[in-house]
Amino acid sequence: ADTQPAVKDDHHHHHQDHVDIVKQKLESNADHSASTNDHTEQHVSDTAASLDSSTSMEEHASVESSSSSSEASSESSSVKASVYDEEAPWIRCYATLRHEHVCIASPFCFSPKLSLAYAGVQDLTQLQCFVLKNGTMVKRGHDKSAHDHAHAKATLECVQQLRTAMRNAEFGSFAVHLGESSDRAKIEAAADFQVEDYDSFKKVYSSNDALHLERKEWAIMSFGQSASNLAHYAGRLAALFYYRLHHDLHDMPRADIRNALLVVPAVVHKLLVEESSWLHGFTEAVLHPQTVLESSKRAPDQIARGGSHIIVKDRFEESDVMCSRVGIVPAFLKGRNFVPGAELLSAQDALGPHGKSPDADELRKKVLQVMKTDPPTAEPKRLLVLLARAGNRRGFDEESGAKLDALLSELCAEAKWELQTTHFTSDQTFHEQVEMVQHAAVAVGMHGANLVNTMFMPSGAYLVEVFPYAFSHHMYENGLGAGLRYASYTLTTRV
């Protein structure tokens, strides 16, 4: 307890060093940006009045789509105009039932090299949070005076949700900018991240030195070294896939998130550009039918065309900043790669048994399109796949492995099933690994990244996960949310 304040101060100083690196370069060109700043001043004018007159997201979710009610139609139009009005800065954060986050900010800037994100609002009414319940977003933000205790508490909870979301999205540093100085101390105390004047954010955003992404909406994903693990990478990219499909639940702009920037370290980039690698194949399937483009350090001509781009954070300078009109920042899905239909729809419309996921079915279709193969039969084959782990880490010893093989062989022979033992290796292409499991009715394997391919099994198939002695993990529970039946077994002895 005695060291906690010092730790917090160190965090602030370290963070401020990052912010200052960017600000020093951008503010040195302030004179050259005068005309742009004037435009930005006009851009943020009358914001409070615009948002004060807006309808809440919760009210918007209940508006009837029928055109027979002119009052409802008018209300719906008003909401769309106010929430995504280009004259108004705003930040919205959304969470599923498992507290899986995505934040959307307008405008939004970030430093690829430092994994530093910038967003700004003029007052706390422009920062709001929502939670998904029975297919409807319920508002959890501040929409009244900051002096109202209940709403002030809700606002601070929203700020903490924003901080958690940005950390989970692997933006190691985050600066939120506010127009009211009285709010900064509250937010810094509640969330432990840097808060500055909104004017300083306008200088960053309007600087001629910042690289502006010309298309309006961009999904921005920052990846760390852990993304070289295919299970971790799949969990991050699965979140982007989810929000692309369900933008309507989150009131996102446009029909989908068409433009994406994947900001990766060099070690992940090396895997992504290898066409035979698992990371490359999975990315291609998630973003299909778009082609993933590798962009150079500063390539506004390439990025301005929109689409999906891979950029390497190590190739940027610390002072480099990129900005977009709307930045969409997904984090990751927890213990699953898909959100079951029951969470997306109202209770009476929940889909089928076994947590069936329409999203998983959609990704399977995209994988087949990328692989250019015919879809498998409706029913899985009478095939049991044993996913054996190479090496000694979380594997069976030779004697135990032989006993398991013998047991499964006997069971399959009695049931007239086929048994196939598979070793996933880095030498196998994404397509080869998918083909090994896509027809299987049952897969059995020790916990590890090798189980991530089971999401490509047919809906309704079984995953049996084996845990080492005195170990458990929720990564694959309930079959990754891919519509699989799931069972687990923990070993009771160890070698």
Side-chain angles (χ1 to χ4, degrees):
D2 293 339
T3 60
Q4 186 173 359
V7 171
K8 182 173 179 179
D9 288 341
D10 287 344
H11 169 82
H12 277 267
H13 289 310
H14 177 66
H15 179 96
Q16 187 60 48
D17 289 343
H18 285 181
V19 175
D20 289 342
I21 288 171
V22 179
K23 286 176 61 181
Q24 286 169 6
K25 180 176 181 181
L26 295 176
E27 291 180 1
S28 67
N29 293 314
D31 293 339
H32 300 287
S33 304
S35 61
T36 313
N37 284 338
D38 290 342
H39 172 75
T40 306
E41 291 287 352
Q42 181 63 37
H43 163 75
V44 299
S45 65
D46 300 325
T47 300
S50 173
L51 281 165
D52 285 343
S53 63
S54 68
T55 307
S56 72
M57 192 77 72
E58 185 176 0
E59 291 169 340
H60 170 58
S62 66
V63 173
E64 296 292 340
S65 59
S66 172
S67 61
S68 61
S69 171
S70 59
E71 181 179 350
S73 299
S74 175
E75 183 178 9
S76 178
S77 300
S78 172
V79 171
K80 288 292 184 181
S82 62
V83 173
Y84 294 109
D85 187 344
E86 294 189 359
E87 299 299 321
W90 48 265
I91 300 174
R92 304 283 188 273
C93 287
Y94 303 89
T96 65
L97 298 178
R98 290 194 180 194
H99 303 288
E100 299 151 325
H101 299 99
V102 60
C103 289
I104 313 174
S106 176
F108 180 80
C109 297
F110 69 100
S111 165
K113 178 74 171 182
L114 299 175
S115 295
L116 169 63
Y118 296 89
V121 292
Q122 289 180 308
D123 61 69
L124 290 179
T125 64
Q126 298 162 340
L127 170 62
Q128 295 178 348
C129 298
F130 303 87
V131 177
L132 179 64
K133 288 188 176 181
N134 296 324
T136 302
M137 278 294 167
V138 179
K139 187 175 180 180
R140 292 290 180 84
H142 181 105
D143 60 358
K144 290 188 178 180
S145 168
H147 300 292
D148 184 299
H149 176 73
H151 291 286
K153 180 180 178 182
T155 299
L156 294 183
E157 291 175 352
C158 183
V159 167
Q160 291 170 330
Q161 179 176 326
L162 171 62
R163 171 69 276 183
T164 299
M166 299 306 293
R167 282 178 176 166
N168 289 345
E170 298 196 51
F171 277 102
S173 300
F174 182 68
V176 63
H177 300 256
L178 292 175
E180 297 181 11
S181 59
S182 60
D183 296 325
R184 292 200 294 273
K186 298 177 186 177
I187 291 181
E188 284 185 334
D192 190 23
F193 57 77
Q194 190 66 36
V195 178
E196 298 189 14
D197 287 327
Y198 187 74
D199 285 346
S200 65
F201 174 65
K202 288 193 293 183
K203 290 179 181 178
V204 172
Y205 181 76
S206 62
S207 169
N208 289 335
D209 227 27
L211 174 60
H212 282 259
L213 308 175
E214 294 184 9
R215 298 299 178 97
K216 182 178 178 182
E217 303 90 9
W218 284 85
I220 313 293
M221 300 197 72
S222 175
F223 293 86
Q225 302 287 342
S226 63
S228 58
N229 177 293
L230 58 89
H232 291 186
Y233 181 80
R236 291 294 314 281
L237 213 61
L240 176 61
F241 184 71
Y242 165 70
Y243 293 115
R244 278 191 160 195
L245 289 180
H246 301 291
H247 56 89
D248 55 330
L249 289 176
H250 302 276
D251 197 34
M252 290 185 178
R254 300 295 177 94
D256 59 6
I257 308 171
R258 295 185 181 276
N259 309 305
L261 280 180
L262 309 184
V263 188
V264 301
V267 63
V268 177
H269 173 258
K270 182 179 179 181
L271 296 172
L272 278 172
V273 296
E274 292 179 6
E275 292 189 5
S276 62
S277 74
W278 193 97
L279 265 65
H280 179 93
F282 185 67
T283 304
E284 193 176 29
V286 167
L287 300 177
H288 181 78
Q290 286 185 324
T291 300
V292 182
L293 305 172
E294 181 188 1
S295 298
S296 58
K297 175 186 170 184
R298 293 178 67 86
D301 56 329
Q302 289 180 305
I303 297 176
R305 293 196 297 267
S308 300
H309 298 261
I310 299 169
I311 59 176
V312 187
K313 60 176 64 178
D314 310 72
R315 297 176 183 174
F316 284 78
E317 301 297 330
E318 291 184 340
S319 57
D320 287 334
V321 173
M322 304 178 81
C323 297
S324 64
R325 289 291 307 148
V326 177
I328 303 165
V329 185
F332 60 87
L333 300 182
K334 297 181 179 179
R336 58 187 182 181
N337 283 354
F338 308 98
V339 178
E343 288 188 34
L344 303 176
L345 306 172
S346 60
Q348 61 268 25
D349 294 328
L351 295 177
H354 318 304
K356 181 178 179 181
S357 172
D359 293 3
D361 291 339
E362 180 65 22
L363 180 61
R364 293 182 185 111
K365 290 178 185 177
K366 285 180 172 284
V367 168
L368 293 174
Q369 290 169 355
V370 169
M371 293 173 61
K372 298 179 180 179
T373 60
D374 295 330
T377 57
E379 295 295 326
K381 294 181 179 179
R382 297 169 68 85
L383 169 64
L384 188 154
V385 176
L386 174 60
L387 306 175
R389 287 182 64 94
N392 297 322
R393 187 169 182 264
R394 293 202 202 118
F396 292 101
D397 64 359
E398 185 175 350
E399 181 182 356
S400 299
K403 288 181 178 179
L404 179 60
D405 285 340
L407 174 62
L408 294 178
S409 295
E410 181 180 345
L411 291 173
C412 287
E414 291 178 358
K416 297 182 179 180
W417 278 44
E418 178 186 353
L419 173 63
Q420 176 182 308
T421 300
T422 298
H423 294 81
F424 291 128
T425 68
S426 58
D427 295 332
Q428 295 165 336
T429 67
F430 172 76
H431 296 178
E432 289 172 341
Q433 295 189 38
V434 171
E435 289 171 348
M436 290 177 180
V437 299
Q438 70 177 126
H439 300 290
V442 179
V444 179
M446 186 70 77
H447 171 81
N450 59 319
L451 297 187
V452 74
N453 284 309
T454 60
M455 68 173 139
F456 304 118
M457 294 170 64
S459 181
Y462 272 94
L463 168 61
V464 181
E465 181 176 18
V466 181
F467 290 109
Y469 174 78
F471 177 85
S472 64
H473 199 281
H474 65 272
M475 183 82 181
Y476 301 100
E477 67 183 8
N478 300 320
L480 284 169
L484 306 179
R485 297 172 172 89
Y486 174 82
S488 65
Y489 179 81
T490 302
L491 301 179
T492 56
T493 59
R494 62 178 174 181
V495 178

